[in-house]
Amino acid sequence: MKVVIIGAGISGLTTAYALLARTQNTEHRTQIDITVYEADSRPGGKIWSDKTDGFLCEKGVNGFLDNKPKTLQLCDYLGLEPLKSSDNARRRFIFSKGKLNQLSESPLSFLKSDLISWHGKLRIIYELIAPKGPEDETVADFVIRRLGKESLEKLIDPMCSGIFAGDPYKMSIKHCFPRIKELEQNYGSLIRAMIKLQKEKKKLQTHEKVSAAPTGNLTSFYNGAQTITDELAERLGERIKFGVSVKGLEKDGSRYKVHTSQGIDSADIIILASPAHASSEIMRDFNIKLSKVLSEIPYAPVSVVCFGYKREKVLHSLQGFGFLIPHTEGKKILGTLWDSSIFPNRAPEGYVLLRNMIGGAKSPELAMLDDNAIIGAVFDELMSIISLRGEPDMVRIYRWEKAIPQYVMGHGDRLKFIDESLKSYHGLYLTGNSYRGIGMNDCIENAYKLAEQISSEFQL
């Protein structure tokens, strides 16, 4: 049984590893031959840790939350030791009204905080009787209806920027934050849901935190997020063909022909683990309608700008995770993570690493500015927020023209069309963060689900 996987990012690598593990752990296993084609010269996709001048800069993904068992299980299989973020990561800030405001960790501290006005706080109480919304709506419509516009602008908008680099007025609540929509549908109120779930947790005598927002500790590895993709690639070995791009597919009876930059391959099973826009190009001559729908999944451009500083040149304490900035503040950067405060080994002794994001769905043009313009914009805004003495000692800019897929309104209809289209092609599959979850946890969990589905359908 020949399997071809297109793309050696976390999704493609995990799918290949999971398929091999399943077939190797069954008594009556079917022999499978897996080839992974990767157009780049390295594995990992947007998981890319860059060690430069003593700093460890994450070009893209900087870790995962430890609230999903599959990722931790995979780490265990690979013999990797995950690294939890420091206690500093619990202290997160929103820049508003000219200062950094710490996000509240309890109802009492929320009431004392001046991030939200008293009118805004009282408006949140209305959430208890706010009506349920439609099956899907924008994040903005959902939040304004349940919590009020001030909560949207001060709390949810920066969270959307931090996770998706997205625009809440376009994002789908059902597909971006499915847990939140589920709580509304099941309990009628987010506040009531939290109260009832907390009571259930007490009965079960568990200390797990109850929240509508994503929970868990940010987790990575001592040598960066790339550790996991490097190890997966090492396990797969010569099955990965680097520097080989896939140009198109062709049906060949019950099998498929894969047209690559180095010739034609043949396979029983094809898994496209590439970004939706890349998969669209591959599918263009195979199924034009499916190709078009894939091309309609938008991506937000983002540039990651890393500043390394001698510690004494940054006047702020940096005791925290970092900060996000609401769009209403009129700033250019989306936010800054204090990476050297979150994980060890991110900066040399006596230095700090500031990881800044610029661009996103609301200001895409900023991500593609020239180096001097981006550096100037980031420096000017950090100067006014955390007080810098002089220019950075190290600067690195990592541009992603298509950084993060956007689950905008209509995403559910696209998924349905994709699923229905694939039913006509036995052995053809799509996976990756373009569809059902953008994070590492989502990609790994979906990869395992796909491996299980394929094993069942082909009796591997």
Side-chain angles (χ1 to χ4, degrees), residues 197-198 200-210:
L197 290 172
Q198 190 62 54
E200 292 174 10
K201 296 296 181 185
K202 286 184 178 179
K203 287 181 182 179
L204 296 173
Q205 295 184 333
T206 176
H207 298 290
E208 183 181 342
K209 185 178 179 181
V210 173

Side-chain angles (χ1 to χ4, degrees), residues 220-292:
S220 185
F221 305 94
Y222 186 77
N223 288 315
Q226 187 178 315
T227 299
I228 191 169
T229 48
D230 281 351
E231 183 60 31
L232 283 167
E234 180 70 22
R235 299 295 181 100
L236 294 171
E238 294 182 358
R239 295 181 181 90
I240 307 177
K241 309 301 180 186
F242 293 110
V244 182
S245 58
V246 175
K247 306 297 184 181
L249 301 178
E250 183 182 350
K251 199 78 170 72
D252 182 23
S254 62
R255 308 188 82 212
Y256 296 89
K257 286 184 179 179
V258 185
H259 294 263
T260 80
S261 57
Q262 290 189 355
I264 298 175
D265 199 354
S266 184
D268 302 283
I269 297 171
I270 303 288
I271 301 167
L272 283 89
S274 43
H277 55 86
S279 296
S280 171
E281 287 297 312
I282 294 169
M283 298 287 286
R284 186 171 52 189
D285 295 328
F286 184 83
N287 185 319
I288 188 63
K289 291 182 179 179
L290 179 54
S291 172
K292 183 176 184 300

Side-chain angles (χ1 to χ4, degrees), residues 147-200:
L147 302 170
K149 191 169 184 180
E150 189 176 358
S151 290
L152 169 68
E153 293 177 346
K154 297 289 183 66
L155 298 174
I156 307 304
D157 173 81
M159 184 173 74
C160 289
S161 294
I163 299 174
F164 288 88
D167 181 351
Y169 286 91
K170 296 179 180 178
M171 297 164 60
S172 157
I173 185 72
K174 181 178 179 180
H175 295 281
C176 294
F177 301 107
R179 174 62 172 162
I180 294 177
K181 188 62 177 177
E182 179 185 323
L183 291 177
E184 181 200 45
Q185 295 300 310
N186 292 344
Y187 295 90
S189 160
L190 302 181
I191 295 175
R192 282 202 299 272
M194 293 299 99
I195 294 171
K196 289 182 179 180
L197 290 172
Q198 190 62 54
K199 288 181 179 178
E200 292 174 10

Side-chain angles (χ1 to χ4, degrees), residues 38-59:
E38 171 54 52
D40 207 339
S41 59
R42 57 170 294 279
K46 292 186 176 70
I47 299 177
W48 195 337
S49 306
D50 182 23
K51 296 178 182 179
T52 177
D53 296 338
F55 293 89
L56 197 161
C57 301
E58 298 288 9
K59 292 188 178 186

